[in-house]
Amino acid sequence: MEKMDKLILITGGAGFIGTHVIKLFVRKYPNYRIINLDKLTYAGNLENLRDVENLPNYEFVRGDIVDKDFIDRLFEKHRFDGVIHLAAESHVDRSISNPLEFINTNIVGTVNLLNAARQIWANDSEGKLFYHVSTDEVYGSLGETGYFTEETSYDPRSPYSASKASSDHLVNAFHHTYGLPIVMSNCSNNYGPYQFPEKLLPLFINNIRNNKALPVYGKGENVRDWLYVGDHANAIDMIYHNGRLGNNYNVGGNNEWQNIMLIKKLIEILDRKLGREVGTSLNLLSYVKDRAGHDLRYAIDSSKLQNELGWEPSVNFEQGLELTVDWYLDNEEWMRNVTSGEYQKYYEIQYMKR
Ligand code: NAD
Ligand code: DAU
């Protein structure tokens, strides 16, 4: 094989955001060799990566970041130049029913990667980088005003966000204690193709198409800041290459929507695309028991990323939502595949009790 400039490990590359990051890096940097490490949990799907799987600079390795010996061997074998760490348990509702899984993957798994990187880079960390991909949920919940900045104190309130916050602290601790070259980002809610239909948008798109109830938690008053997933992948690319060591960067869409307003917008788009009279699917709205500890509002101030690295969101929300809906409507088979088997059991447990 031709000499590659950099060997990068991307964890969680078969998940939603990982899929977009892998595709971006593999295509944009033919001189990088990208190894995708993924356990292929319910959320990981190699079908997403079919169009890049045969490229010469891409390789898939199946494995669990919680398995320390496996991780140590993998780092010893490949001696990566960089790590972009996305693998995680990522769904808040699942963290409420099964917190331990989140502690293991998000905390122990991250420490295994940090330790392995520290060992192989102990004598020469020049040009090496550990990039930790995190979430805005570590900052807790906002009231009706204000934004999360990089200086906002951590105040995680769900087992998911507490496990991510803990992993963020460990990443910073490895930087300060061992001099590990790290960078980190905290992003708001992503939307786009390949998102597993347990998250709001793909779940509701699928339910509207199938005339199934739309389970709105509480009164639908909670606010999220939505960013197209491709813009998050671009931010990761910029931060990986130009972010300042030891820094974290907030990434967000400056695009706040109250859940119920977003859901009504989605209904309007889908009714139009499905040839139904606009408003027909409003009758699917079903207000159900609220998520425990449901954070009211997230909103990101991403001016550090914009001013330092020149990043800005490129996909306007109207267009992004249209193209996302089109993707799910055009990829019925993908949806059928990921919603078969285990998914049915999850759905029953998650929604029948509400
Ligand atoms: P996802 O759940 O779609 O994908 C997670 C991937 O990690 C899956 O492919 C899964 O198989 C893999 N994985 C899980 N446990 C593993 C383990 N023990 N070992 C190896 N691989 C494992 O998640 P996502 O939405 O793509 O999120 C990716 C990252 O970005 C996460 O760290 C998440 O916290 C963060 N994030 C997500 C969002 C969002 O809106 N989705 C926003 C900000 C940050
Ligand atoms: O902010 C970044 C985070 O965004 C990421 O770190 C998480 O990995 C990602 O899952 C997402 O978390 P949320 O909890 O905000 O996303 P979710 O799609 O689960 O829910 C979005 C909003 O919609 C939230 O207020 C809860 C509500 N909701 C969700 C579901 C699944 C409903 O009302 N009904 C539902 O059935």
Side-chain angles (χ1 to χ4, degrees):
M1 190 191 284
E2 222 180 289
K3 170 104 181 61
M4 296 283 180
D5 290 346
K6 270 189 202 303
L7 175 56
I8 301 180
L9 176 71
I10 298 184
T11 70
F16 166 48
I17 300 169
T19 291
H20 293 269
V21 174
I22 292 269
K23 288 187 185 195
L24 176 69
F25 271 70
V26 167
R27 289 181 177 135
K28 185 168 174 187
Y29 301 108
N31 283 340
Y32 290 1
R33 190 168 152 226
I34 304 294
I35 296 190
N36 171 13
L37 167 65
D38 200 295
K39 184 181 173 184
L40 299 183
T41 66
Y42 76 93
N45 185 357
L46 286 182
E47 201 184 320
N48 301 358
L49 294 162
R50 209 163 268 162
D51 47 343
V52 296
E53 69 187 7
N54 292 322
L55 293 181
N57 63 337
Y58 170 75
E59 190 182 324
F60 173 70
V61 174
R62 185 170 191 181
D64 186 344
I65 59 171
V66 178
D67 181 346
K68 178 185 179 306
D69 294 341
F70 162 76
I71 292 296
D72 286 345
R73 283 197 306 275
L74 188 77
F75 275 68
E76 215 20 80
K77 178 175 171 197
H78 292 288
R79 307 199 71 81
F80 303 106
D81 299 302
V83 176
I84 303 178
H85 175 37
L86 294 120
E89 286 293 335
S90 70
H91 190 37
V92 174
D93 291 328
R94 287 187 190 251
S95 84
I96 294 168
S97 358
N98 184 8
L100 194 55
E101 188 86 33
F102 285 67
I103 305 309
N104 286 332
T105 294
N106 299 357
I107 306 179
V108 178
T110 302
V111 174
N112 286 340
L113 294 166
L114 289 166
N115 244 330
R118 172 169 82 89
Q119 276 155 21
I120 61 160
W121 299 338
N123 297 321
D124 180 15
S125 63
E126 187 60 35
K128 309 291 193 281
L129 185 64
F130 190 105
Y131 183 158
H132 180 59
V133 177
S134 193
T135 171
D136 62 355
E137 299 200 14
V138 297
Y139 297 122
S141 181
L142 290 165
E144 279 170 16
T145 57
Y147 294 90
F148 297 136
T149 73
E150 287 80 2
E151 276 69 52
T152 304
S153 303
Y154 275 29
D155 181 24
R157 297 147 56 98
S158 73
Y160 163 68
S161 54
S163 69
K164 290 296 289 187
S166 175
S167 67
D168 292 10
H169 288 316
L170 285 157
V171 171
N172 281 324
F174 271 65
H175 177 66
H176 290 289
T177 309
Y178 306 111
L180 192 77
I182 67 102
V183 73
M184 180 168 15
S185 56
N186 296 82
C187 189
S188 64
N189 287 62
N190 286 211
Y191 71 97
Y194 300 111
Q195 188 168 31
F196 193 79
E198 62 188 355
K199 307 279 168 71
L200 181 75
L201 281 174
L203 176 72
F204 277 38
I205 292 171
N206 197 36
N207 282 13
I208 295 170
R209 174 172 45 199
N210 295 314
N211 272 309
K212 280 178 72 173
L214 303 174
V216 182
Y217 294 167
K219 295 187 181 135
E221 287 172 335
N222 306 67
V223 175
R224 297 292 182 264
D225 171 1
W226 294 92
L227 178 70
Y228 186 68
V229 62
D231 280 324
H232 187 190
N234 288 335
I236 290 174
D237 179 16
M238 284 183 172
I239 295 166
Y240 182 83
H241 289 100
N242 298 309
R244 279 186 294 140
L245 288 186
N247 273 247
N248 69 315
Y249 293 86
N250 281 355
V251 190
N254 197 16
N255 177 40
E256 291 178 52
W257 284 78
Q258 205 179 38
N259 289 344
I260 191 63
M261 300 309 286
L262 176 58
I263 292 162
K264 286 184 174 164
K265 175 95 193 143
L266 203 60
I267 288 175
E268 184 193 309
I269 296 175
L270 272 141
D271 276 350
R272 176 163 42 78
K273 288 188 189 287
L274 293 168
R276 299 177 188 163
E277 191 183 332
V278 171
T280 312
S281 304
L282 286 170
N283 66 11
L284 299 173
L285 288 174
S286 163
Y287 292 87
V288 299
K289 187 166 161 234
D290 208 352
R291 173 184 278 175
H294 198 170
D295 288 338
L296 177 67
R297 173 171 166 259
Y298 305 144
I300 279 275
D301 174 348
S302 63
S303 51
K304 177 178 175 185
L305 179 59
Q306 306 210 10
N307 296 337
E308 275 189 25
L309 304 185
W311 174 87
E312 55 181 33
S314 68
V315 177
N316 125 332
F317 192 55
E318 292 277 328
Q319 291 163 350
L321 210 49
E322 291 272 343
L323 81 84
T324 299
V325 169
D326 286 341
W327 189 86
Y328 287 99
L329 293 181
D330 292 346
N331 287 276
E332 248 188 294
E333 194 186 334
W334 181 91
M335 185 60 89
R336 247 199 321 276
N337 291 345
V338 299
T339 53
S340 60
E342 274 304 303
Y343 180 84
Q344 300 300 337
K345 236 189 278 167
Y346 164 79
Y347 200 90
E348 267 166 45
I349 294 169
Q350 178 61 26
Y351 292 105
M352 297 313 156
K353 67 183 182 202
R354 282 180 187 273

